[in-house]
Amino acid sequence: MSDFHFLTPGQPAVFKDQYVTKVTECIKAYQNGTKADFGIIGLPASKSSISPSFAADAPKTIRNALNAYSTYSGQKNKDYKGTSILDFGDVLIHPTNLEETTERLYLSVKEMLQTNSCNKYIILGGDHGVSYPSIRAFQEYYGRVGVIQWDAHHDVRNLEDGGRTNGTPFRSLLEGGFLNGEDLTQIGIRDFANAREYHLYVKNKEVTVYTMDDVDRIGIVPIIQKEIERLSQKVDLIYLSVDMDVVDQAFAPGCPAIGPGGLTSRELLSSITAAADHPKVKAMDIVEIDPSKDIRDITSRLAAHTMLRFMYT
């Protein structure tokens, strides 16, 4: 019997509605031999960001934001409280050696996949540089990988001017042989955010590119449906890479490279819903959130809602 009426030592003092299940209540820490529908891993690396960034703090704030959401979908009249989620924790990055950090990220994602614990995975960055080691690990484990990249930028900067950064992940993947140009689709590329050299580079690599003008003209959901179908005919796995700066700065103020003219939050969420239901879609990363630049966790909450659209299909 407890010594207290209203104290719960070691537990947070939070209100609990008996009829509401929060998403965080469905998340369990990974233990050897456990199985689940989804796995979460944090890749808290952002020291190679071109813009000053504390994106390494984002995995924590995104996880915290999940507590704002319940497992019930009123639109579908379905409760997802039976969906199981394993959290593999965050990778311990090297304090100074960026190449060592990249290797640790790659090895950790690879080890997670080798547990064969989950059907699908969510990778929380960090800056967009984490997509290079993550997608490499998925390619080596599953085979030919297709990627749909939500982004204002091509992220194929040259390596001579600064080595591997958050602006180089897809150049690293393409030139490393881990990704074919025809298997990469970029959506939301914005004007005045890239160089002509990089526009020509992705065209030469046969990357499929949809600008924001294309999104306005065609619609985000038809684009996703077309590209999922195209990629699914060629690849063994489809990986979604969501750079949150694809979203307009009004809806995602916590990105290091904010800008006007991007997707609305509803366009992002509807496009994730359109992609996530396909059986070949096995993974999604969410990157480029700097909690120190955010306002009331607007961007982290949008990222958390993006996770729900990926999991609760």
Side-chain angles (χ1 to χ4, degrees):
M1 184 175 181
S2 174
D3 294 329
F4 308 107
H5 286 91
F6 304 108
L7 289 173
T8 53
Q11 299 179 32
V14 295
F15 173 78
K16 171 61 180 172
D17 186 316
Q18 62 181 312
Y19 299 114
V20 175
T21 302
K22 293 296 184 71
V23 176
T24 46
E25 296 178 60
C26 302
I27 302 175
K28 307 297 181 184
Y30 170 77
Q31 293 182 341
N32 187 34
T34 52
K35 301 286 185 179
D37 299 307
F38 294 90
I40 299 173
I41 187 172
L43 307 186
S46 60
K47 289 186 177 180
S48 65
S49 178
I50 294 171
S51 305
S53 172
F54 288 96
D57 293 334
K60 177 175 63 179
T61 61
I62 296 171
R63 285 185 178 95
N64 289 341
L66 287 171
N67 198 51
Y69 298 106
S70 76
T71 58
Y72 176 68
S73 167
Q75 292 184 117
K76 298 179 181 178
N77 191 24
K78 182 175 180 179
D79 199 320
Y80 292 91
K81 62 184 178 181
T83 299
S84 53
I85 307 166
L86 288 182
D87 196 331
F88 288 82
D90 290 349
V91 177
L92 179 63
I93 65 170
H94 194 282
T96 58
N97 190 321
L98 298 180
E99 286 299 325
E100 171 65 18
T101 288
T102 299
E103 185 64 20
R104 290 185 184 189
L105 300 178
Y106 158 72
L107 181 60
S108 298
V109 174
K110 182 178 179 180
E111 290 174 339
M112 176 184 69
L113 296 177
Q114 289 173 339
T115 68
N116 195 29
S117 300
C118 305
N119 297 322
K120 295 186 177 184
Y121 297 90
I122 297 172
I123 298 91
L124 301 178
D127 66 34
H128 216 159
V130 307
S131 295
Y132 165 55
S134 179
I135 293 172
R136 175 189 169 194
F138 274 90
Q139 185 272 328
E140 292 180 355
Y141 187 80
Y142 282 98
R144 186 173 176 181
V145 61
V147 176
I148 298 181
Q149 172 193 354
W150 283 254
D151 209 326
H153 312 93
H154 292 297
D155 283 358
V156 293
R157 290 178 183 268
N158 74 85
L159 298 173
E160 290 76 23
D161 287 335
R164 297 194 201 281
T165 68
N166 64 334
T168 66
F170 292 98
R171 192 180 197 108
S172 296
L173 289 163
L174 291 166
E175 297 191 356
F178 305 110
L179 180 63
N180 299 326
E182 64 185 276
D183 299 336
L184 173 59
T185 298
Q186 299 181 328
I187 298 174
I189 301 299
R190 289 212 289 272
D191 265 358
F192 314 114
N194 299 276
R196 183 173 186 271
E197 177 64 29
Y198 302 136
H199 169 81
L200 296 175
Y201 178 87
V202 294
K203 290 298 183 182
N204 183 57
K205 293 290 186 179
E206 298 183 328
V207 174
T208 300
V209 176
Y210 293 91
T211 66
M212 278 306 304
D213 280 349
D214 294 323
V215 171
D216 289 340
R217 179 171 52 85
I218 303 170
I220 188 71
V221 171
I223 288 173
I224 293 294
Q225 292 171 333
K226 176 183 177 181
E227 290 305 307
I228 287 286
E229 181 60 28
R230 182 182 71 83
L231 290 172
S232 67
Q233 303 301 314
K234 300 180 178 184
V235 302
D236 301 305
L237 158 87
I238 298 176
Y239 182 112
L240 313 180
S241 185
V242 182
D243 185 327
M244 291 296 290
D245 70 27
V246 74
V247 181
D248 191 282
Q249 60 188 8
F251 303 95
C255 296
I258 60 171
L263 298 180
T264 66
S265 56
R266 289 176 63 183
E267 285 176 320
L268 173 64
L269 296 175
S270 64
S271 62
I272 297 298
T273 298
D277 195 40
H278 196 281
K280 284 194 175 181
V281 175
K282 294 290 187 182
M284 176 181 69
D285 69 36
I286 303 176
V287 298
E288 295 295 345
I289 297 174
D290 181 346
S292 73
K293 294 179 171 64
D294 212 358
I295 302 168
R296 296 195 65 190
D297 293 329
I298 288 174
T299 316
S300 291
R301 284 180 178 238
L302 178 56
H305 202 152
T306 301
M307 292 175 63
L308 304 190
R309 292 299 184 100
F310 181 76
M311 294 189 294
Y312 301 154
T313 58

